[in-house]
């Protein structure tokens, strides 16, 4: 094995994360030829093949690549930490942190609570990514990911910590007459999301002949919240969010029992511990009132 240029590792990481030369070149701001040439130089110096091209045109990592990529990620994280620390004062947080979660959490929970963090650290940039997809931290699609439910896997070199538990309640529009609460229609979830805890509870209860099923079905709690606020029906929503929305009111009754809860977990990359910006955002997330 010959000495290699450690700078070539970023080209291998980019191709691993995107799977295509075109996307890797766009990510790095160089030509496809440059990406291909630098990876070939890395393979030559290491004496092993790092990627195989699939029939679909994607570049899949070999076992050798999977063995060195975690080390390359560690080098990348240390380089980011070094860049953030240059010129900053001891108590100054500088850097950019990308946080992903489902739209309801991002838009209704994180955004309203973000100002104190940014005021405390004016040189910190937080990117919030509202998506129902589980972004891959090992591919740097996000630095931190807030998930509803304990993650079964977070990709290469990730760790999970529990942030709290969201309690759900039954909500209708605040304008809906209280005396008509028992006749309100229930907004349920589509078949793809039928296994969500709140979807299972709803399905069990709307089968009750005394309750009506709305002709609206949704795919996420963000849509359910807006639909309830527009008086299109009743649904289950997290108390930590819905209780603070003046457009909504919580319902009570003997049949509203055994309401579901959902655990909130934070996924992070184990090599990010040296980045003070990531640590600051993790601490902020951990101290939010999730219950």
């Amino acid at each position: 094995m010959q000495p290699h240029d450690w700078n070539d590792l970023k080209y291998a990481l980019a191709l691993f994360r995107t799977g295509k030369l075109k996307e890797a070149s766009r990510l790095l701001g160089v030509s496809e030829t440059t990406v291909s040439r630098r990876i070939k130089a890395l393979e030559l110096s290491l004496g092993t093949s790092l990627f195989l091209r699939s029939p679909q045109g994607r570049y899949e990592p070999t076992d050798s690549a999977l063995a060195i990529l975690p080390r390359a990620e560690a080098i990348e994280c240390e380089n980011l930490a070094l860049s953030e620390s240059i010129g900053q004062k001891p108590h100054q947080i500088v850097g950019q942190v990308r946080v992903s979660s489902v739209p309801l959490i991002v838009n209704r929970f994180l955004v309203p609570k973000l100002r104190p963090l940014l005021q405390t650290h004016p040189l910190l940039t937080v990117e919030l990514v509202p998506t129902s997809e589980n972004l891959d931290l090992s591919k740097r699609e996000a630095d931190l990911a807030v998930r509803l439910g304990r993650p079964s896997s977070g990709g290469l070199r990730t760790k999970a910590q529990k942030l709290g538990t969201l309690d759900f309640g039954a909500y209708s529009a605040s304008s809906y007459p209280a005396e008509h609460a028992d006749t309100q229609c229930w907004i349920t979830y589509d078949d793809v999301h039928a296994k969500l805890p709140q979807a299972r509870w709803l399905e069990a209860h709307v089968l009750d002949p005394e309750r009506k099923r709305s002709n609206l079905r949704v795919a996420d709690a963000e849509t359910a919240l807006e639909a309830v606020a527009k008086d299109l029906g009743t649904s289950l929503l997290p108390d930590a969010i819905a209780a603070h929305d003046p457009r909504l009111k919580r319902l009570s009754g003997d049949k509203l029992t055994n309401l579901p809860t959902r655990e909130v977990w934070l996924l992070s990359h184990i090599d990010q511990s040296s980045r003070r910006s990531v640590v600051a955002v993790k601490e902020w997330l951990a101290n939010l009132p999730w219950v």
Side-chain angles (χ1 to χ4, degrees):
M1 185 176 68
Q2 304 173 16
H4 66 275
D5 184 348
W6 65 268
N7 194 51
D8 288 343
L9 293 172
K10 70 180 182 182
Y11 294 91
L13 280 174
L15 188 57
F16 165 67
R17 289 166 177 164
T18 62
K20 294 188 176 181
L21 282 176
K22 183 177 181 180
E23 296 301 323
S25 66
R26 182 180 301 164
L27 182 66
L28 295 171
V30 299
S31 68
E32 293 180 45
T33 302
T34 298
V35 176
S36 179
R37 176 171 54 82
R38 298 299 291 267
I39 289 178
K40 286 180 180 178
L42 181 61
E43 290 178 326
L44 180 62
S45 64
L46 295 175
T48 185
S49 177
L50 298 177
F51 294 93
L52 297 175
R53 191 171 184 178
S54 71
Q56 292 75 32
R58 288 188 62 84
Y59 285 81
E60 302 294 342
T62 63
D63 289 343
S64 296
L66 294 175
I68 69 168
L69 284 170
R71 296 179 182 274
E73 289 181 329
I75 293 173
E76 179 186 53
C77 290
E78 285 301 318
N79 186 55
L80 285 171
L82 176 63
S83 298
E84 290 180 0
S85 65
I86 293 176
Q88 70 178 351
K89 298 177 182 179
H91 301 292
Q92 192 177 63
I93 301 296
V94 179
Q96 181 172 297
V97 181
R98 187 174 172 87
V99 183
S100 75
S101 191
V102 294
L104 182 76
I105 295 298
V106 169
N107 300 329
R108 311 290 179 173
F109 191 77
L110 298 184
V111 168
K113 297 172 174 57
L114 187 59
R115 184 180 295 275
L117 174 68
L118 299 182
Q119 288 177 332
T120 303
H121 306 297
L123 299 180
L124 172 67
T125 298
V126 177
E127 290 187 14
L128 294 178
V129 186
T131 177
S132 297
E133 298 181 8
N134 290 335
L135 300 187
D136 193 336
L137 272 64
S138 68
K139 294 186 177 182
R140 292 302 305 280
E141 293 176 340
D143 297 306
L144 300 170
V146 178
R147 303 270 177 87
L148 297 184
R150 184 166 192 162
S152 57
S153 174
L156 293 175
R157 300 175 67 79
T158 58
K159 64 179 180 180
Q161 76 177 82
K162 186 178 178 181
L163 295 177
T165 302
L166 289 179
D167 295 325
F168 277 72
Y171 285 84
S172 68
S174 58
S175 60
Y176 196 81
E179 61 272 18
H180 296 159
D182 290 337
T183 64
Q184 179 69 294
C185 294
W186 286 80
I187 299 169
T188 57
Y189 283 73
D190 61 22
D191 294 339
V192 175
H193 301 87
K195 292 184 179 180
L196 294 175
Q198 67 268 32
R200 292 199 302 267
W201 188 96
L202 285 167
E203 189 62 26
H205 284 72
V206 297
L207 292 177
D208 187 326
E210 295 181 9
R211 299 183 186 276
K212 296 180 180 179
R213 183 196 301 265
S214 169
N215 57 357
L216 171 65
R217 295 200 298 173
V218 298
D220 65 350
E222 170 84 352
T223 307
L225 185 147
E226 282 303 315
V228 172
K230 296 299 189 293
D231 202 11
L232 295 176
T234 294
S235 196
L236 295 188
L237 300 170
D239 288 323
I241 296 171
H244 303 286
D245 192 325
R247 302 174 300 168
L248 308 173
K249 65 180 176 183
R250 199 178 197 278
L251 304 178
S252 60
D254 295 339
K255 295 186 178 181
L256 298 178
T257 59
N258 299 318
L259 295 173
T261 61
R262 297 195 67 179
E263 293 183 344
V264 184
W265 287 78
L266 175 64
L267 273 181
S268 60
H269 200 289
I270 63 174
D271 292 322
Q272 298 277 33
S273 58
S274 58
R275 290 184 59 194
R276 293 173 59 201
S277 58
V278 172
V279 172
V281 177
K282 286 179 65 175
E283 291 177 350
W284 170 68
L285 289 169
N287 291 322
L288 292 179
W290 294 98
V291 178

